[in-house]
Amino acid sequence: MNKERKLIIAGNWKMNKTVAEALTLVNALKLEVANVREVDIVVCPPFTALAEVSKAVQNSNIRLGAQNMSEHNYGAYTGEICAGMLKEFYAKYVILGHSERRQYQKEPDALIAKKAAVAHASAIKPIVCVGETLAEREGGHMEKVLETQVRGSLAGLTAEQMVETVVAYEPVWAIGTGKTATTQQAQDAHAFIRKQLAKMFDETVARKVRIQYGGSVKAANARELMGQPDVDGALVGGAALEVRSFADIIKNSI
């Protein structure tokens, strides 16, 4: 495990949890992970629960993240949420370019890069997601897809901004399927992404950027995954919706 980079484990709740359910989950999680200092812990509830979860995590070791935001600031963009609104709830992180948004909302790399720049302008750290589909992997295109997404989705960021950006490698074929990349597959992909960052910026920047793995992370495989030299945490989906499983992932990562 690279001591230069602190592990970051984020729970992406997706379109789950009412406000009451969100509070039940986060209040129980606070107790479970109260003594964890070795990991940056982030929860990303739906927009409707941000205000209450924000209050609940104050004075705790849990940070608040959002699942998306607009590339625009305030204005006539019906249904959108801007960075200033997230700041009001003391959001520290925002997930951008998740494969579900790339797939269902057709979000291109250039849009994700715009959002990342806007997030940094408001001192919110973006968690920028990249990853290949099963067809792309089996067709031998994984590296090309990752290179295109990394370069496109992070275009225009300064070296200082890049260091404060988290990259999440999520093989699309492993999200919510129960399939998990082998530790070697995860390490190889993370190392490749870091190599792209070194080309875009330099070795020093690349060495400082945290790269999370996402895709059916469980307590049982957390320690082995986090033990890989280029895996710096996890972006957890389904397992983050239950206190015990999420807390065990966090504890097993240390």
Side-chain angles (χ1 to χ4, degrees), residues 38-190:
E38 303 90 336
V39 178
D40 283 340
I41 302 166
V42 184
V43 293
C44 302
F47 289 134
T48 50
L50 284 176
E52 292 303 317
V53 172
S54 175
K55 292 175 198 167
V57 300
Q58 278 181 21
N59 305 314
S60 79
N61 58 338
I62 299 172
R63 297 290 167 263
L64 184 69
Q67 296 177 22
N68 181 45
M69 58 167 236
S70 174
E71 73 276 26
H72 302 290
N73 287 312
Y74 299 91
Y77 302 100
T78 301
E80 293 292 325
I81 304 283
C82 71
M85 294 170 179
L86 298 182
K87 287 294 284 185
E88 192 175 19
F89 300 130
Y90 306 102
K92 303 295 184 191
Y93 294 88
V94 61
I95 300 169
L96 300 176
H98 190 279
S99 63
E100 288 157 2
R101 293 199 64 83
R102 289 177 183 266
Q103 179 183 351
Y104 303 132
Q105 278 74 35
K106 310 300 180 195
E107 291 194 358
D109 295 329
L111 174 64
I112 295 157
K114 274 186 193 173
K115 291 185 179 189
V118 170
H120 279 297
S122 290
I124 299 173
K125 296 179 182 181
I127 298 173
V128 177
C129 301
V130 297
E132 80 285 1
T133 64
L134 186 60
E136 288 164 342
R137 175 175 273 272
E138 290 181 342
H141 305 305
M142 181 195 78
E143 291 191 349
K144 183 62 183 169
V145 170
L146 289 182
E147 180 180 0
T148 300
Q149 289 184 353
V150 168
R151 289 183 171 275
S153 303
L154 302 170
L157 294 184
T158 65
E160 292 76 17
Q161 289 172 333
M162 191 63 237
V163 169
E164 295 298 315
T165 300
V166 178
V167 177
Y169 168 63
E170 294 200 305
V172 179
W173 48 272
I175 297 175
T177 62
K179 294 182 181 178
T180 310
T182 65
T183 49
Q184 193 57 55
Q185 285 174 324
Q187 166 57 24
D188 290 347
H190 282 233

Side-chain angles (χ1 to χ4, degrees), residues 13 62 236:
W13 297 2
I62 299 172
V236 184

Side-chain angles (χ1 to χ4, degrees), residues 211-222:
I211 307 175
Q212 295 177 306
Y213 171 76
S216 300
V217 178
K218 299 178 279 290
N221 59 27

Side-chain angles (χ1 to χ4, degrees), residues 166-236:
V166 178
V167 177
Y169 168 63
E170 294 200 305
V172 179
W173 48 272
I175 297 175
T177 62
K179 294 182 181 178
T180 310
T182 65
T183 49
Q184 193 57 55
Q185 285 174 324
Q187 166 57 24
D188 290 347
H190 282 233
F192 179 79
I193 290 168
R194 205 174 300 285
K195 189 166 75 175
Q196 299 312 307
L197 296 175
K199 288 180 183 175
M200 290 175 70
F201 300 93
D202 58 39
E203 290 283 353
T204 303
V205 169
R207 207 163 52 240
K208 290 178 179 175
V209 174
R210 296 186 289 183
I211 307 175
Q212 295 177 306
Y213 171 76
S216 300
V217 178
K218 299 178 279 290
N221 59 27
R223 182 167 282 123
E224 193 178 356
L225 280 165
M226 303 311 144
Q228 300 304 305
D230 287 294
V231 179
D232 308 313
L235 183 56
V236 184

Side-chain angles (χ1 to χ4, degrees), residues 10 36-37 42 77 166 246 251:
V36 175
R37 293 288 174 267
V42 184
Y77 302 100
V166 178
F246 191 48
K251 291 172 183 175

